[in-house]
Amino acid sequence: MASIASTAARGPRKRASGGLLSRFRERETWWAYGFISPWAFGFLALTLGPMVASLYFSFTDYGIEQIAGFKATEYVGAANYRQLMDDPKVATALLNTLTYTIMMVPATMAVALGLAMVLLRIGRASGFFRTVFYLPQMTPPVAVAILLLLMFNGSTGIVNEGLGLLHIPGPFWTSDPTWIKPGLVIMSVWSVGGTMVIYLAALRAVPRQLYEAAAMDGAKPWRRFRNVTLPMISPALFFTFIILTIAGITNFTEAFTAYFGPGQAGAEAPEAALMYTIYLFRQAFEFGAPGGMGFASAMAWLLFVIIMIVTLVNVVVSRRFVFYQGETK
Amino acid sequence: MSIRWKRGALLLAVATLGTVLAASFASAQPTERASMAGGKTLNIYGFGPGDDVANGRAEIAAKALGGASVDNPRGSFNDQAFLTRLASGDVPDVVYMSRDRIGTYAARGALLPLASCLRSESIDRKQYRAAAIAEVTYKGQLYALPEFTNQITIIVNNDVAKAAGVSLADISTTKWARLRQANKKMLKIENGKVTRIGFDPKIPEFFPLWVKWFGADLVSKDGLKAQLNTKQAVAALEFTYSLIRDHGGWDRFKAFRDTFDFFGTRNPVVANQMGAWPFESFYYNVLADNSPNADITAKYFTNRKGGPITLFAGSGWAIPRGSKDPDLACKWMKAMTAVNTWVSVAKDRLNLRRRQGRAFTGIYTANTNADRKVFEDVYQASGKKQFDDAVKLLVQAPRYGFSLPSSPASQQLRQAYIDAINRVLAGQQTPRVALDQAQREAQDAIDKAK
């Protein structure tokens, strides 16, 4: 405690007198940079570098010839971006992706919150069920995709068998274009464990006194949930909303493995399962079209811009709905 | 801050960077060591892990390299990995890929024409089947040596046909109306679910075969003009879709078909889940292995005049531009597709099947001479009539074979008609509208690629 206090006291004085370089006199600063160096290297070399490269390629005719070095890469202006507008599959893939995201994000959040609240109340058994609910998160996405095909088979799948017991005729989840995305959403919701654990931690941090005060004021459970729980866990809800939205928009593995991967060869791949990243991947690596990598790079940058806009809108909107403890408005 | 702490932090950062860099370069080391070990090394990509026939041929081909060693990291051809190798300059000497990809890579200049290879190794291109050669020829230049050939014939499940009162003559693609009647008789729907498929037209995969029924093709001979929305193509799609609609629609049909243990002991023949369907020749091997007593009949897919037709599919060997040793690659390709090599492994396969007590259903290659020699010198009837009859049919089938001509946008052309058929199957578009859209997409892709 004394150390923190003394560091805090020293900090502003040193910055004021010595500027940026003087910070490196701090032992903690050196350690901090030492510890973040693996991430910094990874980010610079494996993320930022390729991002900058792909921005450049998105304005070029980069394709097989250029990759192999047979031809010089030529600047093509905004041609790849214009092609984004001309290619109807881009719009189809984007619509599929957004539809999937709009269904998946609230469904995942609702189920995760429901499970977290149940876990909060079951006392001793909580640890066991927390593990059980978290297990699907540990399942590789490829295995999840194969499970999807087995469980959601319209003829003999366990999901429709279960619905049959309730006298509900199950749909053809894997072949009816209307039901393909809901099937993928349900499989995503199945892997809800990570979000649930975040909510559980947030729920545990809500001061009990607030519930007691609300109860004394006559607030019923729903009112307590709406006026105490939700505001208090809103930072966690906001965080997961952003993360899940990005995960939804960049969804690839499950849909690709189930409908486009090796063994499927895309032969019976319905357009309803064509996610944006899948179309991007196929343009870059499978179709072998001239300038394919340049076009795929433009697709990637459009996706990046969409994610940034969605995130910025969320951040702006969140100022009205997210409550941070200790924050004064 | 003390020197000791600074050193500690610096060491941590350097150690991290060192670890990452070491890991990055580690993958390159084994190849370097192999080259330094002495002599030449042939670097292969896209081949294996194979069965006894593939591995046996690889052993023979390795001996034909005059002492050079072979570096063959096992794994099927993958466009992404291949492009990565081209980008990094780690170009393989020889690649094994599906023949329908050759046109795309040839058009992009990623493959070497094989004229000098044929000359230097005295390879007679006439020994290969013309249809297979057409598939790997782009703008008059040969870019790959074709290897296996899977021809498509119709497999009839005799038990299902008999039970439905359908004769073998009814299961003929020549008379579409008669075939549709047979389909209706053989299929079974119980409680709203398909429990048996009558005749599976196998679209979108074999759609080119149904269009060939008219004598038409989905692309022009030079591969530069898409022909996806011709009246023949529309009629072929309407008919094949009607066979599926008879089962209550694509949803029911596919959901049931997805439950098949297709390559297992409870395959659709044994389980009586399918009446008849066109399929690739390798499936006779699967049946002979897993259900040697399955009662099947092999039939030709016939055109509207009654003549047999079959669609070729298979892989081939090509030399990528940038190959460090094209001559060595050429020797390998020649040995892998040579008559003697095929005959040798066919003998081994026959002996293996005998030891296993299973039927030998032949080896079907893109090499006409090899097929003839294998059938004449190696093949012996197994005594299982259904498979022996199938072999007699398969041996003759390649002479009726065709393949889609190579195109600079072969992948996109294929994808265009596959997407169109999927839209029709999903009930989103009519055959005419779907194929019109496919035609625009495919022609646009070809125009950009040529």
Side-chain angles (χ1 to χ4, degrees), chain B residues 15-49:
Chain B
T16 309
L17 279 176
T19 309
V20 173
L21 290 173
S24 306
F25 292 116
S27 61
Q29 285 179 347
T31 309
E32 277 178 31
R33 278 200 298 273
S35 312
M36 286 157 61
K40 293 178 175 179
T41 299
L42 182 74
N43 196 306
I44 298 171
Y45 176 65
F47 184 65

Side-chain angles (χ1 to χ4, degrees), chain A residues 25 30-31 89 153 267-268 285, chain B residues 1 5 79 204 255 257 419:
Chain A
R25 292 187 194 144
W30 280 92
W31 275 112
K89 290 255 173 63
N153 181 280
E268 288 163 9
F285 298 113
Chain B
M1 184 175 181
W5 283 110
D79 296 280
R257 200 173 66 178
D419 286 347

